Amino acid sequence: MAAPLLPAFGEKDFFDTAFNYNRDQIVNWLRACAKGEKGGARTKLEEVQKLLKQIGPRIEVLSLPEGAQFKNPSLSPNSHFPRKTDPNWVSKRVTPREAKFILLPLPSTYQGALTAPITVDWWNPYDLLGFFLGVLGPADIGATKRNYFLPLCAVYAQWCSRLAGHTDDDWGWGKPWVGAGVWPFMFNITWRPDGNPVTAQYFFLGSSTAGDEWQDWVVGQWRPRVQRHRFNTLHGGLKLKPFQQDSFDKKNSPVQAKSRGAGQPYGNCAETYPFIFSIRGTVDANKNLQGLALQKEFMRANPKAYDEATAWAYLYGPCANCREIIKFAKANPKNFAIDFEKAKLLQGTASQAVTSMEESTSTPTAAAATAAPEGWSDKPADLNVSLYWGTNGAGTIVCNINRYVFPQQDFKVNTLSPTPHSSPAVMIHRIPATYPNIRQAAKKVGLNSPQGLFIITRDRGGDQYIFKDGTTGKIYVWSMLTGEIFEFTKPTDLDSIVAQLNLPVGKATMETTQLDDIESG
């Protein structure tokens, strides 16, 4: 049975009504909060209104449909990041470290659950929205994972999908949206029950890095530049950090160290801002810290209302990077884990979309004779063959505001109904450029016959997928959180790669090479 939901932000039925807000309703609600008309008692405070009036307009200028910094003809292609052209940019990729844009920081000062305010840079509407909602806290002392924090994270994810980015190509919604980049892979909420007995529960929300198409041949090394800024934000803001400033260049985060450079650096997970504003500077102050990570696939069926069973089915444990931060902060790992027993109880009430998807994965299209490495899975239900190898994912159509490389019939002008983002009279719908599943990810870098082998287990983040190319037999790893693909170049055979992955962190000697996107059009 689903848990009764608590009121939130001064509204008894907030989670029921806000879950399905469109873009205009979200923006109007944010504006009302900044005036003290919505959002609960805290929005009546002058200092809170001042901060909300700073954050809200920043969200709007970076968001759909016509945000001035999102859709700037002089800064093509569209992006949900504040930017200016790098004066050193020549054209395409001239040097490995060249990027078309310079990222412009949006600094704000906030205390959150910390003992004193800190000033941190912000970069896109996803994280700014999490910031805005966090300012409206703390939550009621009776708030729990089921009755408040999970539904709040689900609403946050839904709102992110209305403000920026676009749906994955294979979701079958019929009219992909016009933002830049697919939605964040993961969303997080971290909260801290304070006091004994508890007198307040401060929370913070965030998403993994997203907000751009990252087309290498158009913007060069723009994605690594954004990743570096996110890394610097975490390193500069985190009170207790288990990594050094040179970790980004050395590519030695726990995720990267395990597979020798493949995967996300620190600072690019959904936990980045929640950890900055939740982890205090003394190791004995973080024992009560709690959190959850919600994968974007819970929105695949285009839900019209919050469903606890569906959301719970897409809860993921922290990745290796986040587990290391949790450990270093002396927080309790169990407070971030998935309750699989609860998941089993709830699964009986799961939506048909979830049930059908899981049933469809009972027979994999490819399987490895080699046993999965530790922390990885080759189980059909985990490999999700239907999800990642669906026929709708076969091929990638690459386009952006200046390059429409697809047949005329692949896009249309819709004048009949509004989109979830807004309600303009005319909206052009297009096939997005980036990729939702492993087949499209592989095709984007020129691999035509990918076959899934292993995926990181759900309790460890579910954020990497090892596959082989059916034509060449080469082995690759797809970083699902960043959308990047790496080739195992030493060793190259599966048995030896698995043996390397089973070694302790830092002991492997394997080598990987990141693949570049193939230019289209």
Side-chain angles (χ1 to χ4, degrees), residues 55-228:
I55 304 169
R58 290 177 173 180
I59 294 173
E60 292 189 43
V61 299
L62 292 169
S63 298
L64 291 164
E66 301 289 339
Q69 293 187 44
F70 158 64
K71 193 175 183 180
N72 186 334
S74 66
L75 295 172
S76 177
N78 291 348
S79 177
H80 295 292
F81 289 92
R83 63 207 183 281
K84 67 178 182 180
T85 301
D86 190 328
N88 296 318
W89 172 255
V90 180
S91 66
K92 300 190 177 183
R93 292 189 307 276
V94 178
T95 63
R97 297 187 63 82
E98 185 180 3
K100 182 175 182 178
F101 301 119
I102 293 173
L103 198 57
L104 301 177
L106 300 173
S108 286
T109 302
Y110 182 61
Q111 180 169 332
L114 305 178
T115 56
I118 60 173
T119 299
V120 171
D121 289 335
W122 305 82
W123 309 105
N124 72 17
Y126 299 129
D127 290 315
L128 285 166
L129 177 62
F131 184 15
F132 193 105
L133 294 174
V135 171
L136 302 181
D140 186 274
I141 59 173
T144 67
K145 181 176 183 176
R146 294 186 64 190
N147 69 18
Y148 192 93
F149 296 111
L150 178 55
L152 178 56
C153 192
V155 168
Y156 166 62
Q158 281 280 100
W159 285 17
C160 285
S161 76
R162 300 324 193 221
L163 292 172
H166 56 69
T167 174
D168 287 329
D169 297 10
D170 71 336
W171 281 20
W173 285 22
K175 45 183 180 183
W177 318 125
V178 293
V182 294
W183 297 324
F185 181 72
M186 202 73 73
F187 302 89
N188 174 270
I189 183 168
T190 299
W191 65 98
R192 168 188 287 280
D194 265 358
N196 188 16
V198 174
T199 57
Q201 299 202 78
Y202 294 95
F203 62 84
F204 213 91
L205 295 126
S207 78
S208 55
T209 305
D212 199 280
E213 303 289 2
W214 315 121
Q215 295 166 317
D216 294 352
W217 67 93
V218 178
V219 295
Q221 297 299 297
W222 172 230
R223 172 164 48 192
R225 179 168 287 180
V226 171
Q227 290 176 343
R228 177 182 291 276

Side-chain angles (χ1 to χ4, degrees), residues 135-323:
V135 171
L136 302 181
D140 186 274
I141 59 173
T144 67
K145 181 176 183 176
R146 294 186 64 190
N147 69 18
Y148 192 93
F149 296 111
L150 178 55
L152 178 56
C153 192
V155 168
Y156 166 62
Q158 281 280 100
W159 285 17
C160 285
S161 76
R162 300 324 193 221
L163 292 172
H166 56 69
T167 174
D168 287 329
D169 297 10
D170 71 336
W171 281 20
W173 285 22
K175 45 183 180 183
W177 318 125
V178 293
V182 294
W183 297 324
F185 181 72
M186 202 73 73
F187 302 89
N188 174 270
I189 183 168
T190 299
W191 65 98
R192 168 188 287 280
D194 265 358
N196 188 16
V198 174
T199 57
Q201 299 202 78
Y202 294 95
F203 62 84
F204 213 91
L205 295 126
S207 78
S208 55
T209 305
D212 199 280
E213 303 289 2
W214 315 121
Q215 295 166 317
D216 294 352
W217 67 93
V218 178
V219 295
Q221 297 299 297
W222 172 230
R223 172 164 48 192
R225 179 168 287 180
V226 171
Q227 290 176 343
R228 177 182 291 276
H229 280 287
R230 288 264 306 205
F231 171 90
N232 290 341
T233 298
L234 180 65
H235 185 269
L238 197 61
K239 294 299 181 183
L240 292 171
K241 39 187 167 276
F243 58 96
Q244 302 300 317
Q245 182 70 53
D246 62 359
S247 174
F248 186 90
D249 289 321
K250 289 183 176 180
K251 297 185 177 181
N252 65 359
S253 74
V255 170
Q256 295 171 311
K258 194 70 175 176
S259 50
R260 299 286 289 179
Q264 68 268 23
Y266 277 115
N268 286 266
C269 299
E271 289 82 354
T272 297
Y273 287 97
F275 279 3
I276 288 174
F277 286 101
S278 301
I279 294 177
R280 293 179 181 169
T282 54
V283 294
D284 60 347
N286 300 308
K287 296 178 180 178
N288 292 335
L289 207 62
Q290 301 181 48
L292 63 87
L294 181 62
Q295 215 252 42
K296 67 176 177 181
E297 286 290 335
F298 89 95
M299 298 186 289
R300 171 178 282 265
N302 199 5
K304 303 303 180 185
Y306 171 72
D307 178 72
E308 182 181 16
T310 301
W312 205 283
Y314 291 103
L315 286 177
Y316 279 68
C319 73
N321 294 352
C322 296
R323 291 198 304 274

Side-chain angles (χ1 to χ4, degrees), residues 425-500:
V426 176
M427 180 73 75
I428 295 179
H429 298 255
R430 66 170 175 82
I431 305 296
T434 48
Y435 36 86
N437 60 39
I438 195 167
R439 183 175 296 278
Q440 288 186 326
K443 278 186 172 287
K444 193 167 186 283
V445 293
L447 305 177
N448 295 311
S449 304
Q451 299 171 1
L453 300 174
F454 313 122
I455 190 170
I456 291 282
T457 56
R458 185 177 157 200
D459 61 318
R460 294 189 177 210
D463 54 349
Q464 288 188 305
Y465 205 134
I466 291 176
F467 66 98
K468 72 176 181 179
D469 183 79
T471 302
T472 65
K474 292 181 177 180
I475 311 298
Y476 303 87
V477 58
W478 173 32
S479 174
M480 302 167 77
L481 189 141
T482 67
E484 298 161 310
I485 288 182
F486 301 79
E487 178 185 348
F488 290 102
T489 54
K490 181 183 178 181
T492 58
D493 66 285
L494 185 60
D495 288 343
S496 298
I497 290 170
V498 168
Q500 289 279 307

